[in-house]
């Protein structure tokens, strides 16, 4: 289907924990920009992108259409998870009132958004997830069933306004469903021998694809197609187990085969043609209208490679030379692919692949970027070539051909490591295409004084905030910078300032290793590596199920490997324990690794039973054991041990 969105392969019951991982824009250790002519000069040719700041925090699900509209979920640095909609000029929060967490699930070419959310119910615990539709004309509408005790959620929306999703019908049972443009619930029939069903995608003919689990063995699934009338049929694609993830308007379907076997594979099914496999250990992430699919090749060693596949070309490895890992996230109908690539021990970079230009680091195609702005991951590309990307300054929209908005464009807040009661220099570069406008700036340093005016220097649309600030004590501070032009348009940026004491801190964010069919588990972590440290502790996994750590109980360090244990809340409910096994990358040959386990005490016997696990190659009984299961290599992001400046 033509809806350009990424990360929609999530069923209501998937249970995967997703963190809308905010980009921590403070770049401790990086050089401070010295003046107005800072940053890269930008690309001078026609292949260039204008930059629009969308959100300081980043999320997991995002979409962009040919009208220049975008929708996404994001986690701000204050912990609020919400859905934003960009109408071409500004971003608005479209989350339900009193929401605990809201997640994006689809955007169509009419600007309609499918989302799901949990809300606070007066006098009760947060509700189950509910399905919603939002549109510029009608605003937010709750989709039936309007029942806070029933879990329901969309998975995709087509250009006619039909929404595919699922609702919970029992403790562990879910039923595939659709919602009409008039918001009427239409449950989709199952098939004999299947215990529950889910949808993953819907095309503009209302043909819906998904899967169902065998009643005799829930680990084995069957790919299902529901026609426009809602009648189901099994998709004959072979394999011991099959999932259908994507469908285009030609009726072609992409999915996964033998997901629980040793050699899982992506497949492409086309009407009237034999099914073809993309190759061993391939994982599909997107399918376009030309029958081209992209994803990652996932060998056992963890060094994933981006790939492109079609019937005409076969499997093409897109992996850039000299890089450690890469992944193709999305492809538009012109066959232009976007994604990410990472050198071992270094930050990931946003990439674009095309037949004409090959592999291109998108950081080399930015029009007059602010200093310090680095693109890390290109998530999704629209039919006209606009790209949503994660950066050192949060989520940005890259507009093809150098287009942008009239609002200022901000880079990240930059500073060098410093100590308490020591004046520290902070800089933030900004750009404005309206070169005759003047600007003002304010900064809230996060130490209780509130927003304060700060001086800046500017010349013909290029500006620099260059200030000195002193924090009285160690800690982690949330900083908000706002730059406003003389026409009243403003752009704000949230950042975290890390002021370390004499003890090191483990810091990381990114996406964990996972099974081939599962959505990535995304995390944010900051933990002091000594019990008396004043550095802040935080650990979050956000998404379909939300986990927030409350207390760190145990810390053990062996070289660059760290074990952490503590307690926290799962879906807002206390009584859960977490265990983390993390290895900080050394910046050279060794990559960052991490595993997470969440358990809950059995109320009858007191024993801990596992409720969530990811990133482990084999199960570990206790995180403090020296021979715990080796953590999986991160698919994206990094883990570092930070120390105070000498």
């Amino acid at each position: 289907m033509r809806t350009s969105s990424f990360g929609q392969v999530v069923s209501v019951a998937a249970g995967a924990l997703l963190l809308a991982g905010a980009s921590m824009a403070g770049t401790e250790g990086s050089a401070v920009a010295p003046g107005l002519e800072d940053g890269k000069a930008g690309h001078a040719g026609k292949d260039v992108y204008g930059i629009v700041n969308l959100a300081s925090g980043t999320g997991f699900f995002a979409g962009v259409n040919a009208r220049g509209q975008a929708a996404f979920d994001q986690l701000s640095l204050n912990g609020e998870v919400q859905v934003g909609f960009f109408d071409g000029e500004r971003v608005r929060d479209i989350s339900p009132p009193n929401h605990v967490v809201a997640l994006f699930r689809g955007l169509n070419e009419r600007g309609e958004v499918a989302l799901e959310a949990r809300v606070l119910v007066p006098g009760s615990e947060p509700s189950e997830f509910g399905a919603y539709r939002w549109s510029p004309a009608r605003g937010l509408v709750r989709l039936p069933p309007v029942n806070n005790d029933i879990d329901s959620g969309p998975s995709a929306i087509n250009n006619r306004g039909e929404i595919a999703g699922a609702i919970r019908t029992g403790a562990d049972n879910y039923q595939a469903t659709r919602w009409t443009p008039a918001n009427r619930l239409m449950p989709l029939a199952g098939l004999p021998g299947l215990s529950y069903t889910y949808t993953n995608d819907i095309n503009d003919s209302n043909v819906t694809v998904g899967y169902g689990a065998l009643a005799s063995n829930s680990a084995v699934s069957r790919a299902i197609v529901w026609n426009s009338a809602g009648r189901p049929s099994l998709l004959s694609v072979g394999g011991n187990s099959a999932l259908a993830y994507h469908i285009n308007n030609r009726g072609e379907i992409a999915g996964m085969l033998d997901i629980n076997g040793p050699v899982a594979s992506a497949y492409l099914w086309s009407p009237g043609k034999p099914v073809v496999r993309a190759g061993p250990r391939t994982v599909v992430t997107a399918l376009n209208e030309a029958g081209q699919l992209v994803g990652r090749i996932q060998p056992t060693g963890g060094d994933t490679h981006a790939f492109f596949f079609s019937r005409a070309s076969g499997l093409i490895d897109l992996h850039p030379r000299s890089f450690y890992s890469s992944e193709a996230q999305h492809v538009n109908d012109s066959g232009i692919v976007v994604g990410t690539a990472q050198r071992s021990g270094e930050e990931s970079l946003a990439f674009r692949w095309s037949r004409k230009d090959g592999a291109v680091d998108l950081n080399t195609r930015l029009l007059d970027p602010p200093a310090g702005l680095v693109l890390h991951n290109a998530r999704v590309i629209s039919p006209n070539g606009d790209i949503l990307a994660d950066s050192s300054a949060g989520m940005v929209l890259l507009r093809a051909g150098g287009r942008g908005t009239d609002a200022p464009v901000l880079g990240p807040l930059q500073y060098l490591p410093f100590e308490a009661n020591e004046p520290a220099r902070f800089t933030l570069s900004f750009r404005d295409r309206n070169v005759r406008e003047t600007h003002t700036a304010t900064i809230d340093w996060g130490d209780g004084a509130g927003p304060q005016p700060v001086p800046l220097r500017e010349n013909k649309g290029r500006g620099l905030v260059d200030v000195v600030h002193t924090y009285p004590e160690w800690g982690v501070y949330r900083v908000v910078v706002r730059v406003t032009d003389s026409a009243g348009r403003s752009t704000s940026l949230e950042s975290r300032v890390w002021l370390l004491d004499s003890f090191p801190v483990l810091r990381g964010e990114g996406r964990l290793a996972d099974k081939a069919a599962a959505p990535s588990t995304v995390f944010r972590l900051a933990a002091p590596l000594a019990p008396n440290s004043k550095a802040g502790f935080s650990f979050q996994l956000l998404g379909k199920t939300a986990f927030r750590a409350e207390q760190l109980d145990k810390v053990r360090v062996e070289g660059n490997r760290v074990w952490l244990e503590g307690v926290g809340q799962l879906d807002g409910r206390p009584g859960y324990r977490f265990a983390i096994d993390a290895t900080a990358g050394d910046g050279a040959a060794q990559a960052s690794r991490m595993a997470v386990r969440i358990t809950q005490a059995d109320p009858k016997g007191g024993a801990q039973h596992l409720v969530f696990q990811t990133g482990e190659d084999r199960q570990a009984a206790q995180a403090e054991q020296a021979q715990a299961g080796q953590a999986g290599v991160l698919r994206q992001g990094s883990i570092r041990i930070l120390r105070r400046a000498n």
Side-chain angles (χ1 to χ4, degrees):
M1 56 182 288
R2 292 186 178 273
T3 303
S4 296
S5 54
F6 168 64
Q8 295 181 19
V9 185
V10 179
S11 65
V12 175
L17 305 186
L18 305 176
L19 164 67
S23 184
M24 298 181 186
T27 53
E28 58 274 19
S30 60
V32 177
L36 292 180
E37 297 306 316
D38 49 6
K40 296 184 282 286
H43 195 270
K46 294 181 179 179
D47 182 14
V48 65
Y49 294 91
I51 307 163
V52 181
N53 296 97
L54 295 183
S56 298
T58 57
F60 188 72
F61 301 99
V64 60
N65 62 24
R67 301 171 62 181
Q69 299 168 325
F72 49 88
D73 47 39
Q74 61 153 325
L75 173 66
S76 63
L77 297 190
N78 64 2
E80 184 177 2
V81 188
Q82 59 199 34
V83 176
F85 176 80
F86 177 68
D87 62 10
E89 292 295 330
R90 65 185 182 92
V91 176
R92 68 181 79 176
D93 181 1
I94 62 172
S95 310
N98 302 318
H99 70 279
V100 177
V101 56
L103 298 171
F104 166 82
R105 287 295 179 254
L107 169 71
N108 65 17
E109 291 297 329
R110 302 194 302 190
E112 295 177 302
V113 180
L115 63 151
E116 60 181 328
R118 301 181 69 204
V119 298
L120 286 173
V121 179
S124 180
E125 294 183 344
S127 70
E128 296 291 345
F129 272 91
Y132 294 82
R133 177 200 305 272
W134 182 91
S135 67
R138 300 172 60 186
L140 189 70
V141 177
R142 174 75 182 265
L143 301 177
V146 184
N147 187 328
N148 289 327
D149 297 323
I150 296 179
D151 192 4
S152 65
S155 57
I157 183 172
N158 66 15
N159 290 322
R160 297 172 53 176
E162 295 272 353
I163 295 175
I167 60 173
R168 189 174 66 189
T169 57
D172 295 310
N173 293 319
Y174 288 79
Q175 181 177 12
T177 191
R178 289 201 297 246
W179 288 273
T180 70
N183 300 324
R184 184 165 61 90
L185 177 67
M186 293 185 60
L188 299 176
L191 288 167
L194 300 181
S195 59
Y196 49 83
T197 55
Y198 305 99
T199 67
N200 283 323
D201 203 2
I202 182 171
N203 68 11
D204 290 343
S205 299
N206 289 348
V207 179
T208 308
V209 297
Y211 65 96
L214 289 185
S216 58
N217 184 356
S218 61
V220 178
S221 58
R222 294 287 183 261
I224 305 175
V225 179
W226 289 270
N227 67 13
S228 59
R231 290 189 293 271
S233 62
L234 291 177
L235 186 68
S236 299
V237 290
N240 294 323
S241 188
L243 305 168
Y245 281 166
H246 308 281
I247 182 170
N248 63 21
N249 287 329
R250 304 197 310 189
E252 295 173 304
I253 299 169
M256 295 294 302
L257 295 174
D258 301 324
I259 196 64
N260 295 316
V263 186
S265 173
Y267 71 83
L268 175 65
W269 180 92
S270 304
K273 297 180 180 179
V275 64
V276 290
R277 293 193 180 216
R281 298 188 177 91
T282 52
V283 180
V284 61
T285 56
L287 170 72
N288 68 8
E289 292 299 321
Q292 300 163 335
L293 58 91
V294 298
R296 68 184 184 273
I297 305 170
Q298 187 166 291
T300 55
D303 51 340
T304 61
H305 284 202
F307 79 83
F308 173 94
F309 178 84
S310 70
R311 289 182 180 273
S313 68
L315 183 69
I316 299 176
D317 190 333
L318 302 176
H319 185 70
R321 293 182 180 179
S322 79
F323 279 74
Y324 171 76
S325 65
S326 61
E327 178 175 357
Q329 308 270 26
H330 198 254
V331 57
N332 69 5
D333 296 344
S334 299
I336 302 175
V337 182
V338 295
T340 184
Q342 181 179 18
R343 291 186 176 93
S344 180
E346 298 183 10
E347 293 182 310
S348 57
L349 299 173
F351 264 76
R352 186 196 69 197
W353 292 269
S354 66
R355 180 183 296 273
K356 176 184 176 183
D357 300 315
V360 173
D361 178 356
L362 285 170
N363 291 282
T364 67
R365 295 296 191 270
L366 298 180
L367 177 63
D368 195 20
L373 183 69
V374 179
L375 305 177
H376 296 304
N377 177 33
R379 297 205 211 173
V380 59
I381 181 169
S382 76
N384 64 356
D386 292 346
I387 299 170
L388 275 178
D390 297 322
S391 79
S392 57
M395 188 184 303
V396 295
L397 175 64
L398 306 180
R399 284 184 156 175
R403 297 172 294 117
T405 67
D406 290 327
V409 178
L410 307 189
L413 186 69
Q414 296 186 282
Y415 59 94
L416 294 175
F418 60 96
E419 299 184 13
N421 293 307
E422 173 185 279
R425 183 185 178 192
F426 296 83
T427 65
L428 180 142
S429 174
F430 67 89
R431 301 288 184 262
D432 197 318
R433 63 180 57 238
N434 301 304
V435 298
R436 295 183 179 180
E437 291 182 341
T438 58
H439 299 78
T440 58
T442 62
I443 297 182
D444 184 341
W445 294 105
D447 53 7
Q452 311 212 354
V454 292
L456 55 82
R457 304 198 308 271
E458 61 180 319
N459 182 33
K460 297 181 179 180
R462 298 168 63 85
L464 183 73
V465 177
D466 190 351
V467 293
V468 174
H469 187 73
T470 301
Y471 284 99
E473 60 182 0
W474 314 113
V476 181
Y477 297 88
R478 173 175 171 252
V479 179
V480 181
V481 183
R482 181 176 295 274
V483 176
T484 304
D485 64 24
S486 52
R489 294 176 289 261
S490 66
T491 304
S492 63
L493 173 80
E494 294 185 21
S495 182
R496 281 187 176 183
V497 169
W498 294 74
L499 183 55
L500 306 179
D501 60 11
S502 58
F503 298 104
V505 170
L506 185 74
R507 169 182 158 177
E509 60 180 24
R511 300 162 60 189
L512 299 175
D514 56 6
K515 293 183 179 180
S520 295
T521 298
V522 188
F523 72 95
R524 181 193 291 164
L525 169 68
L529 300 186
N532 297 323
S533 173
K534 295 182 180 179
F537 165 69
S538 64
F539 172 56
Q540 293 171 293
L541 300 166
L542 266 297
K544 189 61 185 178
T545 304
F547 182 81
R548 181 188 294 271
E550 298 177 305
Q551 180 178 318
L552 179 62
D553 294 337
K554 297 181 181 179
V555 177
R556 187 165 68 86
V557 182
E558 291 183 3
N560 63 341
R561 190 171 182 184
V562 180
W563 288 265
L564 306 170
E565 282 194 55
V567 296
Q569 294 189 11
L570 186 71
D571 287 340
R573 299 178 177 90
Y576 293 83
R577 293 197 60 81
F578 69 86
I580 298 172
D581 176 359
T583 300
D586 60 7
Q590 186 175 23
S592 299
R593 308 177 73 94
M594 184 169 168
V596 178
R597 304 176 74 246
I598 298 175
T599 58
Q600 183 185 33
D602 188 331
K604 296 181 179 180
Q608 296 285 325
H609 69 272
L610 186 69
V611 296
F612 175 78
Q613 177 175 342
T614 188
E616 294 186 1
D617 295 333
R618 59 183 184 273
Q619 184 168 333
Q622 296 291 337
E624 68 265 22
Q625 292 180 353
Q627 300 301 320
Q630 179 61 48
V633 176
L634 298 186
R635 276 184 51 200
Q636 184 184 339
S638 63
I639 298 173
R640 292 184 291 165
I641 296 178
L642 306 180
R643 292 176 173 85
R644 190 179 65 176
N646 295 326

